[in-house]
Amino acid sequence: MAVYFVRHGETECNVNHVYYGSLDVPITENGRRQAEAVGEMLQEVRFHRVIISGLRRTRQTAEAVLSKQNPRNPIPSEWQAVAALNEMGFGAWEGLHYTKVRELYPEDYRAMMGDWVHCPSTGGEIFLDFNARVLDAWKGLHINENENVLFVGHGGPIQCIMCHLLGMDPSAIWHLEIRQGTYTKFGIYKDFPVLKGMNLERREILE
């Protein structure tokens, strides 16, 4: 059994390249198509539960993924919406392009660019606090080897969880690109995680 990580589909904020961590924005039509493409790749996987964040873009993506399920595989009745898995909050920077942030908040911007692990955006979260809340939430899910889990989340939280599973320092998140319209699979074997594939764009081969 396995955990299938899927980043939410495209939003207008992705298109416009603005900060938007805690903004509750919907996915675009292209984002829905991305999610449906993932659903077609995973249509033969029987999921036992679905985990999403507290923001609607993850729910919309999960619904689109599962809309492509083989009818023989019932849609999971267990859905967990966990607000602690929300994307990192960027405070006053949300909705702004980095060039506007640099203009309006030059000192905070320089500080964060120089030490993003310890220096937050203006009124936003410190990365280490963000990482801690995500990992606390992850550990509270109690995922076991006897279930297939669809985990639809945000790039940042998925990166933090992957660093944890792979025994990497959390500051290594930028070595892990989580693309939209793909899925990443981890096998769980007696609490031992194994990366089976990352940013996959092919149909799942059932073992």
Side-chain angles (χ1 to χ4, degrees):
M1 301 298 188
V3 182
Y4 295 80
F5 291 97
V6 178
R7 184 183 173 193
H8 66 77
E10 177 195 81
T11 70
E12 286 294 339
C13 291
N14 293 132
V15 174
N16 296 325
H17 303 290
V18 299
Y19 291 96
Y20 70 109
S22 65
L23 296 181
D24 197 12
V25 296
I27 60 175
T28 62
E29 282 305 309
N30 184 52
R32 188 172 302 281
R33 287 192 293 271
Q34 291 172 333
E36 289 174 348
V38 174
E40 290 173 355
M41 290 185 275
L42 299 179
Q43 63 184 229
E44 299 299 332
V45 179
R46 181 173 182 178
F47 291 108
H48 299 90
R49 60 171 160 155
V50 180
I51 297 166
I52 58 177
S53 80
L55 299 173
R56 60 176 160 167
R57 55 189 182 268
T58 62
R59 178 174 289 278
Q60 290 174 330
T61 301
E63 290 172 345
V65 169
L66 293 171
S67 72
K68 299 300 181 178
Q69 277 284 285
N70 186 315
R72 294 192 301 272
N73 293 329
I75 303 300
S77 59
E78 184 176 353
W79 286 57
Q80 293 173 264
V82 184
L85 294 171
N86 287 3
E87 184 59 279
M88 182 172 172
F90 288 95
W93 297 8
E94 296 195 345
L96 302 177
H97 190 272
Y98 83 91
T99 55
K100 192 66 174 178
V101 170
R102 190 171 57 190
E103 174 189 334
L104 295 175
Y105 307 101
E107 293 185 8
D108 289 349
Y109 183 79
R110 280 195 298 272
M112 189 179 185
M113 292 303 103
D115 184 6
W116 61 271
V117 172
H118 301 98
C119 297
S121 54
T122 308
E125 284 185 277
I126 297 172
F127 171 74
L128 292 178
D129 294 340
F130 160 67
N131 181 69
R133 77 156 159 88
V134 168
L135 294 188
D136 283 348
W138 167 259
K139 293 169 186 175
L141 295 172
H142 303 296
I143 292 171
N144 65 70
E145 63 181 71
N146 298 314
E147 58 183 348
N148 284 321
V149 175
L150 176 62
F151 184 111
V152 181
H154 309 269
I158 293 174
Q159 289 170 314
C160 290
I161 293 168
M162 286 186 64
C163 282
H164 169 70
L165 294 176
L166 295 171
M168 299 164 61
D169 188 89
S171 64
I173 63 168
W174 299 118
H175 294 290
L176 303 172
E177 179 186 16
I178 310 300
R179 296 203 304 268
Q180 291 164 321
T182 69
Y183 68 96
T184 292
K185 179 181 178 181
F186 270 86
I188 307 293
Y189 306 99
K190 295 183 178 178
D191 297 324
F192 186 82
V194 177
L195 179 60
K196 307 287 280 188
M198 182 174 174
N199 291 324
L200 297 171
E201 297 178 293
R202 58 175 172 76
R203 187 178 296 274
E204 165 72 344
I205 304 300
L206 298 181
E207 297 177 351

